[in-house]
Amino acid sequence: MLGKVKILVVEDEILIAESLRMMLEGLGYEVPAIFNSGSEAIKNFKPGFADIVIMDIELADNTNGIDTAIELKKICDPPIIFITNNTDERLRKKAIYETSALHYVSKPFTRLDISIAIDLTLKLAGDKEIASKKANEFSYLMNDSIFVKDEGSFKKIMISDIRFLKADGSYCNLYLKKDNIMFCENLSFLEGKLSFAKNLVRVHRSYLVNINYITKIQDNRLWVEDEEIPIGTTYKKDLGELIRFI
């Protein structure tokens, strides 16, 4: 990572949030923002906003860190470090396995606890990135198609046949001209795999659309043939730069 590592804090206890900010800045990290609820974090988060998210599991406004992490993963899948004073083993496992969190720190924590958690998270995140790059070094991608698993074999799908992809929790539905396929992967993961297809564009945290199928745009909505799809504020400008209006 170039420059300072940016760490977003999502914590509803003001004193803990401020103490955490001071710890992080003292360790040489940048804190772009502090949010006290999951809804606030989801509303303001966007790709590149933070390299790591440190988040309490129990948040203000009846939101929680687990559901918030699942929603953030739809946007860009940031590494998550959970902090909590909850000792419930079931909740701990849910937080780790349902969100792929890279670390879990119990309250009260020390500066050393946070420093170690960040170091381990950066190492794990770096290892994943390196592994992904190595895998792609030896793969050949045809820019007009992909192969998807279908009952023990792989079926060829033309990129031109993909109308849009829609997030469904930790899963994702791919809508084709005449069919649809459910993947056991989130939208951000598939967006990365399909990054070579320049006609597939993210328009909302839950939607990736083929701009060749857009038939109408109105305010914060667009239509892919007869399917109405919302346009997220974060993505509206980028979409506008790809389309000619007269």
Side-chain angles (χ1 to χ4, degrees):
M1 295 180 182
L2 298 176
K4 281 189 176 183
V5 172
K6 295 181 290 186
I7 303 179
L8 172 66
V9 174
V10 186
E11 167 62 67
D12 62 338
E13 295 186 55
I14 296 174
L15 292 178
I16 293 177
E18 190 59 27
S19 174
L20 191 51
R21 181 187 65 78
M22 294 174 65
M23 282 184 188
L24 294 172
E25 291 180 347
L27 289 166
Y29 301 114
E30 178 184 344
V31 180
I34 295 175
F35 300 132
N36 68 3
S37 71
S39 55
E40 188 181 15
I42 294 166
K43 179 182 177 181
N44 292 282
F45 196 79
K46 58 184 178 181
F49 191 84
D51 301 305
I52 296 174
V53 177
I54 295 183
M55 180 156 51
D56 195 352
I57 288 181
E58 297 169 292
L59 297 167
D61 297 337
N62 295 316
T63 58
N64 69 75
I66 298 173
D67 291 340
T68 301
I70 290 171
E71 290 301 311
L72 293 183
K73 282 167 66 66
K74 296 177 184 178
I75 300 173
C76 74
D77 200 10
I80 304 288
I81 297 174
F82 279 121
I83 54 175
T84 185
N85 56 12
N86 194 307
T87 57
D88 187 336
E89 182 71 7
R90 181 195 61 81
L91 186 66
R92 183 185 67 81
K93 288 184 177 181
K94 179 180 174 69
I96 292 174
Y97 291 109
E98 290 194 14
T99 67
S100 300
L102 295 189
H103 211 75
Y104 188 100
V105 179
S106 297
K107 294 180 180 178
F109 50 78
T110 66
R111 176 187 167 109
L112 180 60
D113 293 331
I114 295 298
S115 181
I116 291 172
I118 294 170
D119 287 343
L120 289 172
T121 297
L122 288 172
K123 182 180 185 307
L124 288 170
D127 287 348
K128 285 174 66 177
E129 185 177 352
I130 291 169
S132 176
K133 286 180 179 178
K134 284 185 176 178
N136 286 331
E137 283 177 3
F138 301 100
S139 64
Y140 173 74
L141 292 177
M142 293 185 292
N143 290 331
D144 63 349
S145 61
I146 55 174
F147 284 80
V148 300
K149 195 167 184 179
D150 181 28
E151 297 181 354
S153 62
F154 288 86
K155 177 181 178 181
K156 183 177 182 178
I157 291 177
M158 302 302 293
I159 296 299
S160 59
D161 287 340
I162 299 174
R163 297 189 300 130
F164 64 92
L165 291 85
K166 180 181 180 181
D168 183 9
S170 297
Y171 297 88
C172 185
N173 280 296
L174 187 153
Y175 290 84
L176 304 167
K177 276 185 176 180
K178 299 178 181 179
D179 195 10
N180 68 287
I181 302 170
M182 175 171 277
F183 288 91
C184 298
E185 303 287 354
N186 63 47
L187 183 58
S188 292
F189 176 85
L190 292 176
E191 181 182 17
K193 287 291 185 180
L194 292 166
S195 60
F196 68 93
K198 302 306 179 185
N199 54 322
L200 297 179
V201 178
R202 191 76 169 257
V203 299
H204 186 272
R205 66 173 181 264
S206 298
Y207 287 92
L208 190 73
V209 306
N210 187 334
I211 58 175
N212 294 324
Y213 283 93
I214 296 175
T215 56
K216 178 181 175 183
I217 297 175
Q218 180 180 344
D219 299 326
N220 293 320
R221 298 170 294 162
L222 63 80
W223 281 258
V224 170
E225 297 178 330
D226 295 328
E227 185 78 23
E228 182 178 339
I229 292 173
I231 302 174
T233 303
T234 304
Y235 309 97
K236 191 171 185 178
K237 181 180 177 182
D238 291 340
L239 176 63
E241 291 175 351
L242 296 173
I243 297 174
R244 294 188 179 95
F245 294 92
I246 59 172

